[in-house]
Amino acid sequence: MTERMEDALNKQLNAELYSAYMYLSMTAWFESVNLTGFASWMKTQVVEEIEHGMKFYDFINDRGGRVTLMPIEGPPTDWDSPVDVYEAAFKHEQYVTSLINDLVNLAIEEKDHATQIFLQWFVTEQVEEEASFGAILERLRMIGEAPSPLFMMDRELGQRKVSVPTSTS
Ligand code: FEO
């Protein structure tokens, strides 16, 4: 693996951990406004992002590279409303998709086939990530400020379970 590829993968490891940190901040915000179902949904996302980070961690090591941890930027801490949170989260996922696409482009440029194959999982995952955040955002926009549907949605989102990682996921 080239040094350029290794640096880029280390940066993505940091970006995934930042995602976890930001979603943890969003979890804390939902707790602070007593939307515990949204908080629980977001906390599950935190675990997923750490798993994403660990996939990069393991891959860098498996390729004989060196994992280099960098400081994780402090995330925002305040939002105006649930819509505001999901708008920020959706925008963040679109940004992560662009980072993954840039990594794929670099792997192609470097003729690094193993990294290209490794990144395919993330290309697919980002489609799902954008779809799940986008769907919640759309519903929140429809609901507006109406408390009753918001509490129903809160109860529903509280059902999200952590997916148990398998060797293929
Ligand atoms: Fe790791 Fe939400 O993308």
Side-chain angles (χ1 to χ4, degrees):
M1 186 164 59
T2 64
E3 208 177 306
R4 206 167 151 223
M5 196 73 248
E6 184 183 303
D7 285 351
L9 292 171
N10 269 306
K11 280 204 187 90
Q12 190 62 31
L13 166 54
N14 184 272
E16 299 292 344
L17 294 181
Y18 173 79
S19 299
Y21 212 30
M22 189 178 79
Y23 294 142
L24 189 58
S25 189
M26 290 173 170
T27 302
W29 184 85
F30 278 122
E31 308 266 18
S32 76
V33 294
N34 294 316
L35 287 169
T36 54
F38 280 94
S40 166
W41 190 96
M42 210 44 105
K43 202 189 263 181
T44 302
Q45 190 62 34
V46 172
V47 175
E48 280 205 3
E49 297 300 346
I50 293 170
E51 280 172 11
H52 294 174
M54 290 311 293
K55 279 181 190 284
F56 281 96
Y57 179 97
D58 289 337
F59 183 73
I60 295 165
N61 274 328
D62 288 349
R63 296 291 306 283
R66 171 81 163 91
V67 168
T68 313
L69 297 180
M70 289 167 275
I72 300 168
E73 200 188 316
T77 52
D78 270 314
W79 292 271
D80 293 335
S81 62
V83 174
D84 194 29
V85 174
Y86 274 86
E87 264 168 5
F90 182 61
K91 219 166 125 192
H92 181 69
E93 286 301 331
Q94 288 178 318
Y95 170 65
V96 172
T97 299
S98 76
L99 294 180
I100 297 292
N101 288 339
D102 288 349
L103 276 176
V104 174
N105 289 338
L106 180 62
I108 291 168
E109 206 182 304
E110 299 279 324
K111 298 185 172 61
D112 186 338
H113 296 272
T115 302
Q116 284 177 51
I117 290 166
F118 166 73
L119 289 171
Q120 288 315 302
W121 185 90
F122 285 92
V123 171
T124 308
E125 176 70 4
Q126 282 311 119
V127 174
E128 282 176 27
E129 294 278 76
E130 285 193 31
S132 71
F133 279 93
I136 293 171
L137 177 58
E138 283 306 308
R139 283 177 66 190
L140 282 170
R141 278 180 179 151
M142 277 192 291
I143 286 171
E145 300 293 313
S148 174
L150 186 65
F151 286 119
M152 271 170 61
M153 203 173 159
D154 187 59
R155 207 163 39 223
E156 181 195 322
L157 290 191
Q159 306 300 313
R160 184 184 184 189
K161 297 276 176 286
V162 181
S163 56
V164 181
T166 65
S167 56
T168 53
S169 70

